[in-house]
Amino acid sequence: MKRIPLHEHHVAIGGKMTPFAGFEMPVRYSSDKEEHMTVRQGVGVFDVSHMGEFIVKGPQSLDLLQWVCSNDISKITVGQAQYGCLPNDKGGIVDDLIVYKLDDEEYMLVVNASNIEKDWNWISAQNRFGADMIDISEDIALFAVQGPRAIEVLQKLTDIDLSGISFYHFTKGILADVEMIISATGYTGSGGFELYVPKEHAMAVWNKIFEAGEPYDIKPIGLGARDTLRLEMGYCLYGNDINDSTSPIEAGLGWVTKFTKEFINAEQLRTQKEAGTGKKLVGFKMVERGIPRHDYSILNESGEEIGYVTSGTMSPQLNIGVGLGYVKTGYHTSGSEIFISIRDKKVKAEVSKPPFVAS
Amino acid sequence: MNAPENLFYTEDHEWVRFEGDEAFIGVTDFAQGELGDVVYVEIETEGESLDAGEVFGTVEAVKTVSDLFMPVSGEVLEINPSLEANPELVNSDPYGEGWMIKVKVSDKGDKLLSAAEYLEVTGG
């Protein structure tokens, strides 16, 4: 089991550590619900240093990325980030990722911790272009400072005008006396920034953020709340909602799958986009009381299985069960009545387009 | 993590408090800490006679779901009515207000643990 740079600190401040994606990660410090609401209403900090980062650079970097990524990397300019996925050659997804354009011929790929090795091997195997690749995952600590007050807290620590960084843009600069990437991204729907910090400065930066955030009642936030926050927004989690065998088209990632360029398995995906897919990933809210969980069956009125839940939780904000799951095409439209099989009971739910809460 | 001396425990993290031939049953402080915020306690076995080890209900936390096991054999007489509206009592007062069921005990069995034995199970 791997450890993130501030492991000891998380234990010391009461973080309950749990295995996740090959790392021991803080799942909660106090309460999932309390941490969730802290991010929705104030400001909280996630240590997500388990995430992987690769640098791809050189004259061939764009060619390689256009080939392996579903999204059109030529559309982003220096200082911009873009969400997309890595399609495999069998119709599924190797991983989802964010691509940062650092310079004209230099990019940073941020990938899921569980997939660092798989992604590295996959992209390397596709690199007939000869782009330079460097895995910097072990050198970088990543702090997601999220919530409506995040900008006020971080602004105290930098001369860069943070309000000038638009969503899915970033800048390289000094914050808390350390040079880092300051990115207006996140996985919560509550706004804020993600900070890519050289790991030797991780502790100092963390401490300065908490000092600056004290008047705002800043709190450390665990992976438990990270999951409920992302689910209320309907964001996909690799391994749950998307995986090696789900297609980007059926997963609703058509908006980041661009047929304006050649890429791995584009033909099959284009056919799916044109002809439609047999199942679709949808969001749903429970109408009757119950909490959907990963792998529960989704049924129709007459009790036939029409799909399965991929993620589910009690929404701390709505206080009802919400989830994501695949259903047969036809049941995917908003308002469709579906049923979740919970302990052999048919519990009513309704297909509903995320986000489930206002962002 | 605490485990009062006057209670008995199971390896599945339930506790029992005997009162004559009746007993109150709930989950331990350790269990509620592992579960996280409890949002729903589903018990539909009122009036049923269950053997020790059988499932008497389910506890749902934000992130997890877990079955609840009978620490003793007996008939489920009552479900804690407060849990319907306030399931978080399981977190805030697991050995008191957060009790789950009251049973008429028919057999205590021989698997119950003392507080000291239970603390060993949870690593102190």
Side-chain angles (χ1 to χ4, degrees):
Chain A
M1 198 68 60
K2 289 200 239 176
R3 289 184 167 186
I4 52 177
L6 301 189
H7 177 94
E8 299 299 335
H9 181 67
H10 295 299
V11 173
I13 61 175
K16 182 177 158 47
M17 307 303 279
T18 195
F20 179 84
F23 288 79
E24 278 183 76
M25 295 296 292
V27 65
R28 81 176 66 89
Y29 300 84
S30 56
S31 131
D32 295 322
K33 281 165 127 181
E34 197 180 299
E35 290 170 29
H36 180 106
M37 296 316 290
T38 294
V39 172
R40 283 279 180 260
Q41 296 167 351
V43 52
V45 186
F46 303 83
D47 185 343
V48 281
S49 298
H50 61 317
M51 300 290 285
E53 297 87 11
F54 305 152
I55 299 291
V56 176
K57 61 181 181 180
Q60 287 76 35
S61 52
L62 180 61
D63 291 338
L64 171 60
L65 294 180
Q66 288 288 56
W67 174 243
V68 296
C69 295
S70 63
N71 212 334
D72 190 342
I73 312 296
S74 71
K75 300 290 189 210
I76 54 171
T77 54
V78 174
Q80 202 176 352
Q82 186 194 56
Y83 177 70
C85 71
L86 303 171
N88 67 21
D89 51 6
K90 298 183 176 61
I93 300 171
V94 179
D95 201 2
D96 63 344
L97 80 169
I98 299 179
V99 177
Y100 288 77
K101 185 160 185 174
L102 302 179
D103 210 334
D104 275 335
E105 293 178 349
E106 185 174 353
Y107 299 84
M108 178 171 75
L109 279 48
V110 180
V111 303
N112 284 296
S114 51
N115 292 334
I116 293 173
E117 200 183 336
K118 182 179 76 165
D119 293 356
W120 178 264
N121 292 340
W122 172 256
I123 301 169
S124 301
Q126 300 295 332
N127 190 10
R128 59 173 188 273
F129 309 91
D132 296 328
M133 291 173 53
I134 311 161
D135 181 356
I136 57 166
S137 305
E138 306 257 304
D139 308 326
I140 302 290
L142 174 55
F143 301 145
V145 186
Q146 299 280 295
R149 312 307 290 274
I151 189 164
E152 293 165 62
V153 171
L154 295 179
Q155 193 61 72
K156 291 163 77 175
L157 300 172
T158 181
D159 294 332
I160 298 160
D161 175 18
L162 296 178
S163 65
I165 309 177
S166 1
F167 192 50
Y168 265 79
H169 284 69
F170 67 95
T171 191
K172 230 176 176 173
I174 307 284
L175 187 146
D177 302 321
V178 173
E179 180 163 356
M180 63 178 73
I181 289 173
I182 305 163
S183 169
T185 47
Y187 195 46
T188 62
S190 283
F193 294 84
E194 293 182 301
L195 309 176
Y196 294 87
V197 182
K199 79 167 173 200
E200 60 272 24
H201 300 298
M203 193 70 253
V205 170
W206 176 276
N207 284 337
K208 283 189 176 150
I209 293 169
F210 277 81
E211 227 168 85
E214 212 192 328
Y216 301 88
D217 209 10
I218 197 167
K219 288 197 175 79
I221 313 293
L223 291 187
R226 188 170 171 81
D227 195 50
T228 54
L229 288 158
R230 69 97 191 169
L231 251 176
E232 282 187 345
M233 300 308 294
Y235 299 153
C236 286
L237 172 64
Y238 192 91
N240 274 39
D241 313 302
I242 51 177
N243 60 41
D244 291 302
S245 57
T246 58
S247 114
I249 304 301
E250 61 193 21
L253 297 180
W255 64 285
V256 293
T257 305
K258 300 291 166 58
F259 299 103
T260 47
K261 47 124 200 190
E262 277 306 302
F263 65 93
I264 294 170
N265 208 31
E267 271 323 298
Q268 185 182 358
L269 299 182
R270 192 201 307 265
T271 307
Q272 281 185 4
K273 182 152 190 171
E274 283 162 6
T277 55
K279 61 176 179 178
K280 285 213 162 102
L281 185 66
V282 297
F284 62 87
K285 290 184 195 175
M286 299 307 297
V287 175
E288 295 173 336
R289 181 148 95 166
I291 304 172
R293 307 281 181 190
H294 183 69
D295 276 347
Y296 283 6
S297 293
I298 301 179
L299 314 173
N300 64 11
E301 169 99 65
S302 49
E304 290 167 296
E305 187 161 350
I306 54 159
Y308 55 96
V309 176
T310 52
S311 290
T313 185
M314 172 72 96
S315 156
Q317 195 165 329
L318 302 176
N319 221 21
I320 57 167
V322 299
L324 298 175
Y326 285 94
V327 295
K328 277 188 190 164
T329 306
Y331 293 96
H332 68 285
T333 50
S334 279
S336 297
E337 188 174 84
I338 58 172
F339 296 83
I340 311 302
S341 177
I342 303 178
R343 295 184 282 281
D344 294 328
K345 274 182 295 191
K346 238 177 89 189
V347 187
K348 195 188 284 185
E350 183 185 88
V351 173
S352 168
K353 201 171 155 53
F356 301 118
V357 301
S359 61
Chain B
M1 138 83 201
N2 90 83
E5 293 282 338
N6 61 324
L7 306 181
F8 291 89
Y9 300 87
T10 69
E11 291 191 353
D12 298 315
H13 311 290
E14 283 87 18
W15 57 261
V16 199
R17 188 178 76 239
F18 292 103
E19 288 190 2
D21 62 353
E22 294 178 350
F24 288 84
I25 291 166
V27 299
T28 65
D29 187 33
F30 176 82
Q32 69 79 20
E34 291 293 306
L35 287 163
D37 294 317
V38 172
V39 291
Y40 183 28
V41 181
E42 184 181 87
I43 301 170
E44 296 175 336
T45 48
E46 192 169 352
E48 290 181 30
S49 289
L50 300 172
D51 290 335
E54 280 195 88
V55 173
F56 70 86
T58 309
V59 57
E60 297 252 21
V62 173
K63 295 300 304 160
T64 43
V65 54
S66 180
D67 283 334
L68 298 163
F69 299 97
M70 287 290 276
V72 294
S73 300
E75 183 191 346
V76 180
L77 297 176
E78 192 185 339
I79 298 162
N80 182 353
S82 306
L83 297 184
E84 172 76 18
N86 301 102
E88 66 277 5
L89 290 171
V90 175
N91 296 113
S92 58
D93 191 8
Y95 299 116
E97 295 289 307
W99 66 274
M100 290 179 167
I101 54 171
K102 187 166 107 173
V103 302
K104 187 165 176 65
V105 180
S106 58
D107 186 356
K108 289 185 181 181
D110 54 8
K111 295 224 175 83
L112 293 176
L113 308 175
S114 69
E117 287 167 329
Y118 178 65
L119 285 171
E120 260 172 56
V121 170
T122 60

